[in-house]
Amino acid sequence: MTRPADATPSAAMLSAIIPTLNSEEDLQVLLAALVPAAVDGLVREVICADGGSIDATAVLCEDAGAKLISGGLVAAARSARNERLLILPADLRLAPGWEEGLGRKLGDLKGAVRIEGARPTGLLMGLRAPPCGLVVDRARLIDRAETRDASALIKALGIGAKRA
């Protein structure tokens, strides 16, 4: 299969990293939202950094073709094939078409890019900010202390990040 002329260039390809711990339900929704980005060539691989799940997270990763590693976000970053990483909390809900805006911005931007998630609904609405994702250079993550807390890492690395 050949890539269309307007497809995302390889320099903009991302490795998606998702920290998981018994995240089967949330992960199923997030992986489905990543499919269009994979088809467009924006997301080259998905790595789940698992903290010891006892649910069907591992089976879901295998079925979806996602790489499952034991360890935190730094271990996942070290195993990534791309220099740009897309860090996504498992409970992030991506809006339809999210990949189009991000793909357009990646070629022009240097540094971190923030990806907003959908607002929680029902009882959770107003209790917490919506989760967000972050595109960051691999080198910025590898040099950090190991962590499984995507929200804290995104907050620390996302200071001054442009919005997708």
Side-chain angles (χ1 to χ4, degrees):
M1 176 190 313
T2 58
R3 178 176 299 214
D6 62 343
T8 305
S10 61
M13 291 179 79
L14 304 170
S15 292
I17 297 179
I18 306 167
T20 58
L21 178 61
N22 298 323
S23 304
E24 175 187 6
E25 290 179 24
D26 285 331
L27 188 59
Q28 194 168 14
V29 174
L30 183 56
L31 289 174
L34 291 175
V35 170
V39 170
D40 289 348
L42 181 62
V43 173
R44 179 178 181 190
E45 68 179 334
V46 177
I47 304 167
C48 292
D50 194 61
S53 295
I54 58 173
D55 66 356
T57 295
V59 173
L60 180 60
C61 288
E62 183 177 337
D63 290 348
K67 182 178 178 180
L68 182 72
I69 66 163
S70 295
L73 293 163
V74 175
R78 286 191 176 115
S79 74
R81 293 186 281 183
N82 296 295
E83 291 304 313
R84 307 261 354 236
L85 306 176
L86 174 60
I87 303 167
L88 302 168
D91 63 345
L92 181 65
R93 298 296 181 258
L94 295 167
W98 69 273
E99 73 283 356
E100 295 167 6
L102 178 61
R104 282 191 302 271
K105 288 194 173 197
L106 276 181
D108 300 331
L109 290 176
K110 303 292 184 227
V113 179
R114 185 179 173 102
I115 301 160
E116 298 296 328
R119 284 218 165 270
T121 58
L123 294 175
L124 295 177
M125 191 167 70
L127 294 180
R128 66 180 180 109
C132 66
L134 187 72
V135 175
V136 67
D137 291 326
R138 186 171 173 249
R140 286 191 63 199
L141 183 53
I142 288 177
D143 293 338
R144 299 189 67 82
E146 185 60 89
T147 183
R148 285 190 171 89
D149 187 349
S151 297
L153 182 71
I154 288 168
K155 185 176 181 180
L157 293 175
I159 295 171
K162 308 283 190 266
R163 292 180 189 254

